[in-house]
């Protein structure tokens, strides 16, 4: 959640929000090891919570410290997309969530990635991140640790797990609707912005 696209961006690379994004990227690998390698569900939940908190915090700090950057505009959404692919796949491999959820998320992100050549032909690197898209990401980031906490037999665990599934269903719905909005934005870009001539 680094910065609104084009909002006072600079060429700075070493900023606090960017460091948090890189940390989140590293923690994704740590999470996979904990979940699939050691089956340390408790620690895996902690890592997911840290990832979710850092995703919120880097946007806050970008605004408070005025540390928007072009690198951040690309890095933060890329880490979010990676999170939304690797974490569900890990859950499916562990047998915690069904594979159809992974298919939905990967197809959606694949179609979104397919838009990039069209955007670049108009001189854009990405579409502006929508609040709905960020809300969907937040819901999904909240869902997975809650579902993981629901893997114990205790009543509290089952209640938390049910809440996690509610967040997951809600998040997937918003994720798909945010994709529709991105498609609408892409259509407007194609209609209103001419192609940039290729350099000879």
């Amino acid at each position: 959640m680094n910065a609104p696209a084009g909002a006072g961006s600079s060429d700075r690379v070493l900023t606090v929000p960017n460091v948090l994004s890189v940390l989140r990227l590293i923690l994704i690998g740590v999470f996979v090891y904990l979940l699939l390698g050691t089956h340390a569900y408790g620690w895996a939940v902690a890592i997911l919570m840290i990832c979710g908190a850092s995703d919120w915090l880097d946007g806050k700090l970008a605004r408070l410290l005025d540390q928007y950057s072009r690198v951040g505009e690309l890095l933060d959404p890329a880490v979010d997309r990676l999170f939304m692919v690797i974490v569900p796949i890990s859950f499916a491999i562990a047998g915690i969530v069904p594979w159809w959820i992974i298919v939905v998320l990967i197809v959606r992100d694949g179609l979104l990635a397919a838009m990039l050549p069209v955007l670049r032909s108009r001189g854009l690197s990405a579409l502006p991140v929508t609040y709905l898209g960020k809300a969907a990401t937040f819901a999904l980031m909240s869902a997975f640790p809650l579902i993981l906490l629901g893997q114990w037999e205790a009543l509290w665990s089952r209640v938390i797990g049910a809440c996690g599934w509610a967040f997951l269903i809600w998040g997937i719905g918003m994720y798909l609707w945010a994709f529709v909005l991105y498609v609408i934005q892409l259509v407007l870009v194609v209609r209103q912005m001419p192609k940039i001539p290729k350099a000879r």
Side-chain angles (χ1 to χ4, degrees):
M1 198 183 294
N2 244 313
S9 302
S10 75
D11 292 321
R12 290 178 294 182
V13 175
L14 189 59
T15 66
V16 175
N18 290 348
V19 169
L20 288 174
S21 292
V22 171
L23 174 63
R24 193 160 72 253
L25 179 62
I26 295 170
L27 288 178
I28 292 173
V30 175
F31 164 78
V32 172
Y33 171 74
L34 290 172
L35 183 70
L36 301 178
T38 65
H39 305 289
Y41 286 5
W43 285 109
V45 169
I47 293 297
L48 289 180
M49 293 176 69
I50 292 172
C51 285
S54 69
D55 183 50
W56 172 82
L57 187 61
D58 65 7
K60 263 299 195 197
L61 291 176
R63 289 187 291 273
L64 290 174
L65 303 177
D66 190 26
Q67 290 191 348
Y68 296 131
S69 68
R70 293 186 180 90
V71 171
E73 289 175 6
L74 299 175
L75 179 62
D76 181 67
V79 174
D80 283 350
R81 297 288 75 76
L82 193 62
F83 181 96
M84 295 317 307
V85 171
I86 292 179
V87 170
I89 287 176
S90 300
F91 270 67
I93 292 173
I96 298 173
V97 299
W99 277 99
W100 69 263
I101 290 177
I102 286 76
V103 173
V104 169
L105 295 176
I106 291 178
V107 168
R108 184 267 195 191
D109 283 344
L111 292 173
L112 202 60
M115 297 179 182
L116 291 177
V118 178
L119 292 174
R120 287 169 182 159
S121 72
R122 265 71 179 179
L124 300 175
S125 59
L127 291 169
V129 177
T130 66
Y131 285 109
L132 182 64
K134 296 306 292 185
T137 300
F138 171 79
L140 292 171
M141 283 185 171
S142 301
F144 289 112
L146 292 176
I147 290 173
L148 198 52
L149 281 172
Q151 300 306 301
W152 285 268
E153 293 296 328
L155 177 61
W156 66 266
S157 177
R158 295 180 180 179
V159 171
I160 291 175
C163 293
W165 280 102
F167 268 101
L168 183 61
I169 294 169
W170 178 46
I172 289 174
M174 289 193 296
Y175 210 55
L176 294 176
W177 183 240
F179 173 73
V180 172
L181 297 182
Y182 288 134
V183 171
I184 293 173
Q185 289 183 42
L186 180 67
V187 171
L188 292 175
V189 166
V190 170
R191 288 181 175 177
Q192 297 176 9
M193 297 181 66
K195 285 186 178 182
I196 295 177
K198 294 182 179 180
R200 295 182 180 179

